[in-house]
mmCIF file of all heavy atoms in Angstrom:
data_model
loop_
_atom_site.group_PDB
_atom_site.id
_atom_site.type_symbol
_atom_site.label_atom_id
_atom_site.label_comp_id
_atom_site.label_asym_id
_atom_site.label_seq_id
_atom_site.Cartn_x
_atom_site.Cartn_y
_atom_site.Cartn_z
ATOM 1 N N ASN A 93 -18.348 -3.685 4.660
ATOM 2 C CA ASN A 93 -19.727 -3.278 4.788
ATOM 3 C C ASN A 93 -20.171 -2.468 3.522
ATOM 4 O O ASN A 93 -19.397 -2.343 2.570
ATOM 5 C CB ASN A 93 -19.978 -2.511 6.078
ATOM 6 C CG ASN A 93 -19.103 -1.260 6.141
ATOM 7 O OD1 ASN A 93 -18.711 -0.693 5.135
ATOM 8 N ND2 ASN A 93 -18.829 -0.811 7.368
ATOM 9 N N GLY A 94 -21.348 -1.905 3.616
ATOM 10 C CA GLY A 94 -21.881 -1.133 2.488
ATOM 11 C C GLY A 94 -21.094 0.105 2.166
ATOM 12 O O GLY A 94 -21.204 0.652 1.046
ATOM 13 N N ASP A 95 -20.310 0.598 3.099
ATOM 14 C CA ASP A 95 -19.480 1.770 2.873
ATOM 15 C C ASP A 95 -18.070 1.418 2.383
ATOM 16 O O ASP A 95 -17.212 2.279 2.265
ATOM 17 C CB ASP A 95 -19.359 2.619 4.141
ATOM 18 C CG ASP A 95 -20.738 3.170 4.555
ATOM 19 O OD1 ASP A 95 -21.503 3.556 3.669
ATOM 20 O OD2 ASP A 95 -20.996 3.248 5.789
ATOM 21 N N GLY A 96 -17.835 0.139 2.158
ATOM 22 C CA GLY A 96 -16.521 -0.302 1.713
ATOM 23 C C GLY A 96 -15.474 -0.396 2.782
ATOM 24 O O GLY A 96 -14.289 -0.485 2.460
ATOM 25 N N LEU A 97 -15.891 -0.380 4.022
ATOM 26 C CA LEU A 97 -14.959 -0.474 5.140
ATOM 27 C C LEU A 97 -15.009 -1.884 5.758
ATOM 28 O O LEU A 97 -16.094 -2.533 5.763
ATOM 29 C CB LEU A 97 -15.287 0.552 6.202
ATOM 30 C CG LEU A 97 -15.181 1.999 5.784
ATOM 31 C CD1 LEU A 97 -15.663 2.959 6.882
ATOM 32 C CD2 LEU A 97 -13.752 2.366 5.357
ATOM 33 N N TRP A 98 -13.908 -2.381 6.267
ATOM 34 C CA TRP A 98 -13.824 -3.689 6.853
ATOM 35 C C TRP A 98 -14.396 -3.727 8.277
ATOM 36 O O TRP A 98 -14.188 -2.818 9.040
ATOM 37 C CB TRP A 98 -12.360 -4.179 6.891
ATOM 38 C CG TRP A 98 -11.733 -4.416 5.563
ATOM 39 C CD1 TRP A 98 -10.969 -3.565 4.867
ATOM 40 C CD2 TRP A 98 -11.804 -5.609 4.811
ATOM 41 N NE1 TRP A 98 -10.515 -4.139 3.683
ATOM 42 C CE2 TRP A 98 -11.011 -5.418 3.626
ATOM 43 C CE3 TRP A 98 -12.444 -6.861 4.973
ATOM 44 C CZ2 TRP A 98 -10.883 -6.405 2.643
ATOM 45 C CZ3 TRP A 98 -12.309 -7.826 3.967
ATOM 46 C CH2 TRP A 98 -11.530 -7.603 2.841
ATOM 47 N N GLU A 99 -15.103 -4.802 8.563
ATOM 48 C CA GLU A 99 -15.590 -5.084 9.906
ATOM 49 C C GLU A 99 -15.114 -6.448 10.333
ATOM 50 O O GLU A 99 -14.929 -7.362 9.498
ATOM 51 C CB GLU A 99 -17.130 -5.038 9.965
ATOM 52 C CG GLU A 99 -17.679 -3.684 9.664
ATOM 53 C CD GLU A 99 -19.212 -3.670 9.631
ATOM 54 O OE1 GLU A 99 -19.834 -4.765 9.534
ATOM 55 O OE2 GLU A 99 -19.802 -2.583 9.702
ATOM 56 N N MET A 100 -14.882 -6.640 11.632
ATOM 57 C CA MET A 100 -14.372 -7.900 12.158
ATOM 58 C C MET A 100 -15.518 -8.652 12.830
ATOM 59 O O MET A 100 -16.319 -8.045 13.580
ATOM 60 C CB MET A 100 -13.235 -7.691 13.157
ATOM 61 C CG MET A 100 -12.652 -8.976 13.698
ATOM 62 S SD MET A 100 -11.184 -8.689 14.697
ATOM 63 C CE MET A 100 -11.888 -7.980 16.174
ATOM 64 N N TYR A 101 -15.542 -9.989 12.636
ATOM 65 C CA TYR A 101 -16.602 -10.825 13.178
ATOM 66 C C TYR A 101 -16.012 -12.082 13.801
ATOM 67 O O TYR A 101 -14.954 -12.559 13.420
ATOM 68 C CB TYR A 101 -17.622 -11.228 12.131
ATOM 69 C CG TYR A 101 -18.535 -10.092 11.725
ATOM 70 C CD1 TYR A 101 -18.163 -9.227 10.694
ATOM 71 C CD2 TYR A 101 -19.762 -9.904 12.336
ATOM 72 C CE1 TYR A 101 -18.968 -8.175 10.289
ATOM 73 C CE2 TYR A 101 -20.608 -8.851 11.944
ATOM 74 C CZ TYR A 101 -20.222 -8.002 10.934
ATOM 75 O OH TYR A 101 -21.005 -6.962 10.560
ATOM 76 N N THR A 102 -16.739 -12.636 14.751
ATOM 77 C CA THR A 102 -16.381 -13.919 15.341
ATOM 78 C C THR A 102 -16.914 -15.050 14.433
ATOM 79 O O THR A 102 -17.939 -14.904 13.787
ATOM 80 C CB THR A 102 -17.004 -14.094 16.711
ATOM 81 O OG1 THR A 102 -18.440 -13.955 16.635
ATOM 82 C CG2 THR A 102 -16.471 -13.031 17.700
ATOM 83 N N ALA A 103 -16.179 -16.163 14.399
ATOM 84 C CA ALA A 103 -16.622 -17.292 13.607
ATOM 85 C C ALA A 103 -17.563 -18.180 14.429
ATOM 86 O O ALA A 103 -17.149 -19.127 15.090
ATOM 87 C CB ALA A 103 -15.418 -18.094 13.143
ATOM 88 N N GLU A 104 -18.846 -17.774 14.433
ATOM 89 C CA GLU A 104 -19.878 -18.475 15.182
ATOM 90 C C GLU A 104 -21.104 -18.630 14.304
ATOM 91 O O GLU A 104 -21.215 -17.942 13.257
ATOM 92 C CB GLU A 104 -20.232 -17.704 16.460
ATOM 93 C CG GLU A 104 -19.082 -17.472 17.424
ATOM 94 C CD GLU A 104 -19.499 -16.596 18.597
ATOM 95 O OE1 GLU A 104 -19.685 -15.383 18.387
ATOM 96 O OE2 GLU A 104 -19.615 -17.134 19.694
ATOM 97 N N LYS A 105 -22.025 -19.459 14.719
ATOM 98 C CA LYS A 105 -23.256 -19.620 13.904
ATOM 99 C C LYS A 105 -24.008 -18.264 13.784
ATOM 100 O O LYS A 105 -24.652 -18.013 12.771
ATOM 101 C CB LYS A 105 -24.173 -20.686 14.553
ATOM 102 C CG LYS A 105 -23.616 -22.091 14.359
ATOM 103 C CD LYS A 105 -24.630 -23.138 14.723
ATOM 104 C CE LYS A 105 -24.118 -24.547 14.415
ATOM 105 N NZ LYS A 105 -23.944 -24.727 12.969
ATOM 106 N N LYS A 106 -23.906 -17.450 14.815
ATOM 107 C CA LYS A 106 -24.404 -16.084 14.732
ATOM 108 C C LYS A 106 -23.213 -15.161 14.979
ATOM 109 O O LYS A 106 -22.918 -14.790 16.131
ATOM 110 C CB LYS A 106 -25.492 -15.850 15.772
ATOM 111 C CG LYS A 106 -26.784 -16.609 15.453
ATOM 112 C CD LYS A 106 -27.899 -16.301 16.461
ATOM 113 C CE LYS A 106 -29.197 -17.035 16.106
ATOM 114 N NZ LYS A 106 -30.274 -16.695 17.072
ATOM 115 N N PRO A 107 -22.538 -14.755 13.899
ATOM 116 C CA PRO A 107 -21.292 -13.953 14.050
ATOM 117 C C PRO A 107 -21.554 -12.626 14.805
ATOM 118 O O PRO A 107 -22.555 -11.951 14.595
ATOM 119 C CB PRO A 107 -20.895 -13.665 12.606
ATOM 120 C CG PRO A 107 -21.574 -14.719 11.785
ATOM 121 C CD PRO A 107 -22.830 -14.993 12.491
ATOM 122 N N ARG A 108 -20.624 -12.294 15.689
ATOM 123 C CA ARG A 108 -20.691 -11.068 16.449
ATOM 124 C C ARG A 108 -19.648 -10.095 15.920
ATOM 125 O O ARG A 108 -18.491 -10.469 15.706
ATOM 126 C CB ARG A 108 -20.415 -11.308 17.937
ATOM 127 C CG ARG A 108 -21.463 -12.109 18.672
ATOM 128 C CD ARG A 108 -21.127 -12.300 20.132
ATOM 129 N NE ARG A 108 -19.936 -13.143 20.305
ATOM 130 C CZ ARG A 108 -18.811 -12.726 20.837
ATOM 131 N NH1 ARG A 108 -18.689 -11.457 21.228
ATOM 132 N NH2 ARG A 108 -17.752 -13.529 20.979
#
Side-chain angles (χ1 to χ4, degrees):
N93 60 25
D95 295 323
L97 297 175
W98 293 96
E99 296 177 342
M100 182 173 73
Y101 287 87
T102 58
E104 302 175 287
K105 288 192 174 294
K106 292 185 178 181
R108 292 181 294 115

